[in-house]
Amino acid sequence: MNGLVDTRALRMYGKQDLRLEKFALPAMQENEILAKVITDGVCMSTYKTVLQGSEHRRVPDDIAQHPVIVGHEFCGEILAVGAKWQEKFQPGMKFAIQPTLNYQGSPFGPGYSYRYIGGNATYIVIPNEVMLQDCLLPYHGQAYYKGSLAEPLSSIVAACKASYHTVGGSYAHEMGIKNRGDMIILNGSGPMGFLAVAYAMAAARKPELLVVTGTSEEKLARAEKYNPVAKAAQYGITLRYVNTKDVGDQKEYLLNLTDGRGYDDVFVYAPLKASAELGSDLLAQDGCLNFFAGPTDKNFKAELNYYQVHYAANHIVGTSGGYPEDMRDALALIEERRIDPSIIVTHIGGLNSARDTILNLPSIGGGKKLIYSQIELDLTPVEKLGELGKNNPLFRELANIVEANRGLWCYEAEQYLLRHAPGIEK
């Protein structure tokens, strides 16, 4: 390959300064890989990154002169492989990326820090350190979007592994959520909460009681529709969805669900002071709180009951992303169809819609937004395909496919979209 490959990519030049541009990629080196991006999932972490610009720990200081491609939940196809990596990777392979490289102690990663690799691009050059860190992973599933959604699922896998409990009479720690314990996900009615409930059913270590809270009846109803209580019961899990707007004293109500004992594992899925403090108050003896939500405020603080830390052995962890092993676990769960991440997809769009989707993400509503990097398509709610299809044959056929799949986005819909939507280059 001569490296004279043009790409279209959404690049960040500063705080809330995103530009969709066409430019030539540098020539691929013998320790690099050239690839085509098909899908990228829009993550709240990307929105937070764009708000902060170079103040974000993963973003370089010089993005005004050397902009970075945004988007870290991506999946695509390898096109060309440099000599160094030809025994491990071949053209035509599908791939997913673990963006948390941890390369030489640096926080930098694809989708945050690099000029020529990120999810919101048509073509990318994968640098040597991604392969060195074992963060370029083969994907053997059919649908590209499911490969993209392995990244958020891997964050949940990592969080559950990072929780820990003590072993009585020793200083040993047992890693992972407490098997057959009581677990609660605060603010868990969004897409990450959906995946967390699905993972709780699929994982080897399962809670006996799983409580998921939210404040939107619509979101909780969708959560229950695709992760029903009856299905959880088949795995020995008592699943409860709780709208905390309706319960009065939240602490009292939620503790009563455990007969006052408290929760062995508490996950806080929104960066809210009240949620962090409620989570602390809900911990049982030897309970572990995982502050999963990443705040944008570097001085974010919440009170912690240190009496309980001392006498009840309460402890706190925080996780951001995962490791390659977590990504491999997530990919396997998807490839083996033990988890279908389609339940979190609510919007689809082309690369032309990525900028506005990221900048307006909190106000759009719904669940996961998928960007198809090779096509041009305004951001479109999956549930509106039928209505839009009255005047648009593309949407009409997509609506028929989705309707036949319980209203969920699927491989067949993706294939039809990629074949019939206008290309971004046109």
Side-chain angles (χ1 to χ4, degrees):
M1 302 290 291
N2 63 13
L4 300 179
V5 175
D6 284 341
T7 187
R8 285 185 183 268
L10 187 65
R11 299 196 288 182
M12 179 170 60
Y13 283 79
K15 292 182 181 179
Q16 302 185 66
D17 187 354
L18 294 175
R19 307 178 196 176
L20 182 58
E21 302 172 315
K22 183 175 181 178
F23 56 94
L25 291 171
M28 186 192 75
Q29 303 301 305
E30 66 174 16
N31 62 356
E32 295 177 329
I33 290 176
L34 178 69
K36 178 181 182 179
V37 178
I38 305 296
T39 54
D40 181 68
V42 182
C43 180
M44 187 60 72
S45 294
T46 301
Y47 168 76
K48 295 172 184 176
T49 301
V50 173
L51 284 185
Q52 297 175 72
S54 290
E55 293 178 5
H56 192 283
R57 63 189 295 271
R58 293 184 174 180
V59 178
D61 293 331
D62 63 349
I63 56 173
Q65 295 77 38
H66 301 293
V68 295
I69 302 175
V70 296
H72 59 272
E73 298 179 359
F74 56 103
C75 182
E77 178 186 344
I78 292 174
L79 299 180
V81 182
K84 179 177 179 178
W85 298 105
Q86 287 178 0
E87 291 187 7
K88 187 171 183 179
F89 302 100
Q90 295 80 42
M93 289 178 61
K94 290 180 181 176
F95 72 89
I97 293 280
Q98 167 54 266
T100 308
L101 300 184
N102 295 305
Y103 180 65
Q104 296 181 345
S106 169
F108 286 179
Y112 299 91
S113 323
Y114 286 86
R115 298 171 65 185
Y116 304 119
I117 178 175
N120 289 296
T122 52
Y123 300 96
I124 57 174
V125 173
I126 305 175
N128 185 51
E129 54 261 42
V130 174
M131 284 72 79
L132 285 177
Q133 296 301 100
D134 199 23
C135 288
L136 177 63
L137 302 171
Y139 168 56
H140 304 291
Q142 285 186 312
Y144 285 99
Y145 75 90
K146 292 185 180 182
S148 284
L149 299 181
E151 196 284 328
L153 177 57
S154 75
S155 299
I156 291 162
V157 173
C160 288
K161 289 181 181 178
S163 292
Y164 69 94
H165 300 277
T166 59
V167 177
S170 75
Y171 295 110
H173 290 161
E174 185 176 60
M175 301 305 297
I177 66 166
K178 186 172 182 179
N179 195 39
R180 311 309 300 163
D182 295 336
M183 173 175 160
I184 188 168
I185 304 172
L186 298 174
N187 317 106
S189 60
M192 295 301 282
F194 278 34
L195 286 181
V197 175
Y199 180 65
M201 289 186 272
R205 301 176 72 87
K206 296 177 173 62
E208 186 168 300
L209 171 68
L210 175 57
V211 178
V212 179
T213 76
T215 56
S216 166
E217 199 59 44
E218 180 182 357
K219 287 185 176 181
L220 288 166
R222 179 179 171 85
E224 206 283 330
K225 178 180 179 180
Y226 292 115
N227 282 320
V229 170
K231 181 179 178 181
Q234 295 174 6
Y235 295 92
I237 300 171
T238 300
L239 176 59
R240 296 283 301 269
Y241 293 103
V242 177
N243 188 334
T244 51
K245 289 173 64 177
D246 300 335
V247 300
D249 187 324
Q250 294 183 38
K251 176 183 173 182
E252 180 182 11
Y253 182 89
L254 295 171
L255 283 175
N256 284 341
L257 297 179
T258 66
D259 295 325
R261 193 184 68 84
Y263 295 85
D264 302 294
D265 295 282
V266 175
F267 292 84
V268 179
Y269 268 33
L272 303 172
K273 181 175 184 290
S275 297
E277 292 177 349
L278 174 62
S280 172
D281 289 339
L282 295 175
L283 288 168
Q285 179 77 29
D286 191 36
C288 184
L289 184 151
N290 187 307
F291 189 67
F292 186 82
T296 56
D297 181 2
K298 293 182 179 179
N299 293 308
F300 178 90
K301 296 177 182 178
E303 291 187 359
L304 175 67
N305 189 325
Y306 281 93
Y307 182 92
Q308 291 296 98
V309 169
H310 185 85
Y311 288 105
N314 288 171
H315 34 272
I316 294 180
V317 298
T319 51
S320 177
Y323 297 110
E325 68 176 74
D326 305 314
M327 190 73 172
R328 283 192 289 270
D329 288 348
L331 287 167
L333 288 166
I334 291 170
E335 291 164 355
E336 295 165 7
R337 301 185 180 182
R338 295 167 61 194
I339 290 181
D340 183 0
S342 306
I343 60 176
I344 71 173
V345 177
T346 59
H347 294 70
I348 56 170
L351 187 58
N352 59 298
S353 68
R355 177 186 180 276
D356 289 345
T357 300
I358 293 169
L359 292 175
N360 298 292
L361 190 58
S363 62
I364 295 174
K368 179 62 70 175
K369 288 79 183 171
L370 289 175
I371 297 299
Y372 282 88
S373 299
Q374 300 293 324
I375 68 169
E376 184 168 330
L377 180 74
D378 291 342
L379 189 69
T380 304
V382 173
E383 66 178 5
K384 298 290 186 182
L385 288 171
E387 178 183 335
L388 295 169
K390 295 175 182 177
N391 299 307
N392 185 308
L394 171 64
F395 291 147
R396 183 163 57 248
E397 185 57 32
L398 287 174
N400 291 335
I401 296 171
V402 168
E403 184 179 356
N405 191 51
R406 299 185 299 134
L408 294 174
W409 192 246
C410 59
Y411 168 71
E412 292 76 15
E414 177 179 86
Q415 288 297 296
Y416 189 87
L417 178 71
L418 292 174
R419 286 196 305 268
H420 296 283
I424 190 66
E425 299 290 343
K426 297 179 181 178

